[in-house]
Amino acid sequence: MRRKIIAGNWKMNKLRSEAVELVKGLIPLVADVRDVDIVVCPVYVSLSTVYDLIKDTNIALGAQDCFWEEKGAYTGEVSAPMLKDVGASYVVIGHSERRQYFGETDEWVNKKTRAALKAGLTPIVCVGERLEEREVGRTIDVISRQLEGGFAGFDKGQIGGCVIAYEPVWAIGTGKTATPEQAQEVHSFIRGWLKDNYGEEVADKVRIQYGGSVKPANARSLLTQPDIDGALVGGASLKAEDFAEIVKAAIV
Ligand code: PGA
């Protein structure tokens, strides 16, 4: 039985004071949840502040990206060991917004994921097709290309240390959620891909989150699908009550 994981991707939202307010609101709402991994991913500049508030709670800290080098002349970048140093235990990698607006490629995803694992972080590696790709029936092609590239050269131990997030781009921030069946179909493909490439044990272990307009109202129907092991939540993670409800929908 895979433990469910609900992560809030705050994206580029919340000033530090607002981040404090959000997390202070969330802590008591989920304090009695034991069987679900809960993660919040604030912007870089709020990581330390949020960590101070959650370090003795059941909420873990995640970042939204990292660079693959450990240090050096890479103006503006933040490395995986630096994230670990401020208390992060997760990092989102290859989010579709990074692919779309910042030119992130599968090769970059591969390097960043390796760097995250090396630093002792759990990468949440995002894959997902765009609307025009789904419409022409290319969903599975796109997902397999992203998996092949993102995890090229990974051994069982490395892939076993990752979480995968399936986020159809057309469902992100649009209010259009994939139906539980549409999501399950892709999750099941990803599980099969893991099995073909890394064997049954790894396939059984790796958690696959769904992301894209997850809300309290649809969380349960998604999270009860056999291959959906959690959610990566954007918009609804910005409200403590909504995020807490999604966390509770993951309790089996
Ligand atoms: P959304 O974003 O929940 O606002 O659709 C999900 C994500 O991009 O991780």
Side-chain angles (χ1 to χ4, degrees):
M1 190 63 188
R2 291 175 293 272
R3 190 176 158 90
K4 294 266 196 298
I5 171 166
I6 307 294
N9 171 13
W10 294 1
K11 308 193 179 182
M12 198 177 74
N13 290 294
K14 304 287 177 188
L15 298 172
R16 203 154 58 112
S17 57
E18 296 166 335
V20 167
E21 195 185 332
L22 174 56
V23 83
K24 278 189 173 167
L26 181 64
I27 292 167
L29 296 177
V30 297
D32 56 354
V33 175
R34 290 280 156 267
D35 307 335
V36 179
D37 287 337
I38 309 168
V39 186
V40 292
C41 306
V43 296
Y44 285 139
V45 291
S46 293
L47 286 171
S48 274
T49 308
V50 169
Y51 181 66
D52 286 341
L53 295 166
I54 61 177
K55 60 174 182 264
D56 298 320
T57 72
N58 56 342
I59 305 173
L61 188 68
Q64 300 174 16
D65 185 28
C66 70
F67 192 54
W68 57 78
E69 295 290 348
E70 288 185 6
K71 61 181 178 212
Y74 303 101
T75 304
E77 291 300 308
V78 176
S79 74
M82 289 167 184
L83 297 175
K84 182 83 182 165
D85 186 49
V86 295
S89 23
Y90 293 85
V91 58
V92 176
I93 294 178
H95 190 278
S96 65
E97 285 150 17
R98 297 222 48 92
R99 294 176 188 259
Q100 184 179 349
Y101 304 128
F102 305 100
E104 191 128 333
T105 62
D106 293 328
E107 195 190 336
W108 288 25
V109 170
N110 189 297
K111 289 163 109 170
K112 290 178 174 194
T113 304
R114 287 172 185 274
L117 288 166
K118 191 170 170 217
L121 297 167
T122 300
I124 298 178
V125 181
C126 304
V127 296
E129 82 287 2
R130 293 183 313 216
L131 183 60
E132 57 273 29
E133 294 166 333
R134 173 163 284 263
E135 281 174 347
V136 296
R138 291 200 48 235
T139 299
I140 294 302
D141 280 0
V142 171
I143 305 298
S144 20
R145 199 196 60 224
Q146 290 171 339
L147 293 170
E148 301 283 349
F151 296 118
F154 275 46
D155 63 24
K156 284 186 183 183
Q158 288 171 310
I159 196 124
C162 295
V163 170
I164 299 174
Y166 167 57
E167 298 204 305
V169 180
W170 48 272
I172 295 180
T174 57
K176 271 195 226 164
T177 325
T179 63
E181 295 71 30
Q182 280 174 323
Q184 167 57 27
E185 194 186 351
V186 178
H187 281 239
S188 150
F189 167 76
I190 296 173
R191 185 91 54 215
W193 183 88
L194 287 168
K195 189 171 166 205
D196 293 347
N197 288 279
Y198 296 95
E200 188 123 24
E201 205 180 311
V202 170
D204 278 346
K205 174 181 163 192
V206 172
R207 294 179 293 178
I208 310 170
Q209 294 177 306
Y210 169 79
S213 299
V214 177
K215 303 183 247 329
N218 60 26
R220 183 99 199 145
S221 61
L222 289 158
L223 291 166
T224 46
Q225 294 297 313
D227 291 300
I228 301 187
D229 309 311
L232 182 56
V233 186
S237 72
L238 299 174
K239 286 202 193 120
E241 295 74 19
D242 287 358
F243 189 63
E245 265 194 65
I246 295 169
V247 167
K248 288 180 182 166
I251 299 172
V252 280

